[in-house]
Amino acid sequence: MQHEGTDTKGRASLAGVTRAALLGLSGGLLLGGLFLLGVGLKTRFSPADCADLSEIECGFAREAALEMSRMQTLSGAALLSLAAAMVVLVRSKVRPASN
Protein backbone atom coordinates (compact mmCIF):
# COMPACT_ATOMS: atom_id res chain seq x y z
CA MET A 1 0.00 0.00 0.00
CA GLN A 2 1.34 3.37 -0.97
CA HIS A 3 1.07 6.28 1.36
CA GLU A 4 -0.67 9.19 -0.29
CA GLY A 5 0.84 12.40 1.01
CA THR A 6 -0.58 15.83 0.67
CA ASP A 7 0.71 17.96 -2.14
CA THR A 8 2.31 20.80 -0.20
CA LYS A 9 4.00 22.25 -3.27
CA GLY A 10 0.64 22.54 -5.06
CA ARG A 11 -0.96 24.22 -2.07
CA ALA A 12 1.95 26.62 -1.71
CA SER A 13 1.79 27.61 -5.36
CA LEU A 14 -1.99 28.03 -5.16
CA ALA A 15 -1.60 30.22 -2.08
CA GLY A 16 1.04 32.26 -3.90
CA VAL A 17 -1.21 32.74 -6.92
CA THR A 18 -4.14 33.73 -4.70
CA ARG A 19 -1.96 36.18 -2.78
CA ALA A 20 -0.62 37.67 -6.01
CA ALA A 21 -4.16 38.02 -7.39
CA LEU A 22 -5.38 39.75 -4.23
CA LEU A 23 -2.41 42.11 -4.21
CA GLY A 24 -3.01 42.89 -7.88
CA LEU A 25 -6.67 43.57 -7.17
CA SER A 26 -5.78 45.83 -4.28
CA GLY A 27 -3.28 47.65 -6.52
CA GLY A 28 -5.99 48.24 -9.08
CA LEU A 29 -8.36 49.49 -6.39
CA LEU A 30 -5.63 51.76 -5.08
CA LEU A 31 -4.96 53.28 -8.50
CA GLY A 32 -8.67 53.65 -9.25
CA GLY A 33 -9.27 55.27 -5.87
CA LEU A 34 -6.40 57.71 -6.36
CA PHE A 35 -7.70 58.62 -9.81
CA LEU A 36 -11.27 59.18 -8.62
CA LEU A 37 -10.10 61.16 -5.62
CA GLY A 38 -7.89 63.36 -7.81
CA VAL A 39 -10.57 63.98 -10.42
CA GLY A 40 -13.15 64.72 -7.73
CA LEU A 41 -10.90 67.23 -5.99
CA LYS A 42 -9.92 68.86 -9.29
CA THR A 43 -13.56 69.19 -10.32
CA ARG A 44 -14.53 70.53 -6.92
CA PHE A 45 -11.93 73.30 -6.82
CA SER A 46 -11.93 74.34 -10.49
CA PRO A 47 -14.76 76.58 -11.71
CA ALA A 48 -17.18 75.28 -14.31
CA ASP A 49 -16.75 76.63 -17.85
CA CYS A 50 -19.79 78.80 -18.48
CA ALA A 51 -18.93 80.10 -21.95
CA ASP A 52 -22.03 80.38 -24.15
CA LEU A 53 -24.37 79.49 -21.25
CA SER A 54 -27.08 81.56 -19.63
CA GLU A 55 -26.95 82.34 -15.92
CA ILE A 56 -29.48 79.63 -15.09
CA GLU A 57 -27.66 77.03 -17.19
CA CYS A 58 -24.34 78.02 -15.63
CA GLY A 59 -25.78 77.64 -12.11
CA PHE A 60 -27.14 74.22 -13.01
CA ALA A 61 -23.79 73.16 -14.50
CA ARG A 62 -21.95 74.30 -11.37
CA GLU A 63 -24.35 72.46 -9.06
CA ALA A 64 -24.11 69.30 -11.15
CA ALA A 65 -20.31 69.48 -11.19
CA LEU A 66 -20.24 70.00 -7.42
CA GLU A 67 -22.48 67.00 -6.76
CA MET A 68 -20.49 64.85 -9.17
CA SER A 69 -17.22 65.86 -7.51
CA ARG A 70 -18.64 64.90 -4.11
CA MET A 71 -19.58 61.47 -5.39
CA GLN A 72 -16.19 60.98 -7.05
CA THR A 73 -14.34 62.06 -3.91
CA LEU A 74 -16.36 59.73 -1.68
CA SER A 75 -16.01 56.82 -4.10
CA GLY A 76 -12.26 57.39 -4.41
CA ALA A 77 -11.83 57.49 -0.64
CA ALA A 78 -13.89 54.31 -0.28
CA LEU A 79 -11.79 52.50 -2.89
CA LEU A 80 -8.59 53.62 -1.18
CA SER A 81 -9.76 52.36 2.21
CA LEU A 82 -10.90 49.06 0.68
CA ALA A 83 -7.51 48.60 -0.99
CA ALA A 84 -5.69 49.38 2.24
CA ALA A 85 -7.85 46.91 4.16
CA MET A 86 -7.21 44.21 1.55
CA VAL A 87 -3.44 44.76 1.70
CA VAL A 88 -3.50 44.53 5.50
CA LEU A 89 -5.59 41.37 5.32
CA VAL A 90 -3.32 39.68 2.78
CA ARG A 91 -0.13 40.75 4.56
CA SER A 92 -1.37 39.52 7.94
CA LYS A 93 -2.04 36.02 6.54
CA VAL A 94 1.47 35.77 5.10
CA ARG A 95 3.40 36.34 8.30
CA PRO A 96 3.04 33.59 10.87
CA ALA A 97 2.31 34.62 14.43
CA SER A 98 5.43 34.53 16.59
CA ASN A 99 5.13 32.85 19.97
Side-chain angles (χ1 to χ4, degrees):
M1 232 177 152
Q2 285 186 342
H3 177 66
E4 293 184 21
T6 58
D7 187 13
T8 57
K9 186 176 182 181
R11 285 187 184 174
S13 66
L14 182 62
V17 169
T18 304
R19 180 173 168 250
L22 287 175
L23 286 175
L25 179 63
S26 64
L29 288 174
L30 181 72
L31 289 176
L34 284 174
F35 177 75
L36 272 177
L37 191 64
V39 168
L41 290 175
K42 180 181 178 250
T43 304
R44 185 172 194 138
F45 294 120
S46 65
D49 185 21
C50 290
D52 300 331
L53 294 177
S54 69
E55 187 176 325
I56 295 172
E57 291 172 334
C58 183
F60 178 72
R62 285 184 180 165
E63 287 179 20
L66 182 64
E67 291 299 320
M68 191 63 171
S69 70
R70 285 181 187 160
M71 182 60 69
Q72 287 173 335
T73 304
L74 285 174
S75 298
L79 284 175
L80 283 175
S81 63
L82 184 63
M86 190 179 295
V87 166
V88 168
L89 183 68
V90 170
R91 295 290 294 170
S92 67
K93 286 185 178 182
V94 171
R95 296 181 185 179
S98 59
N99 292 328

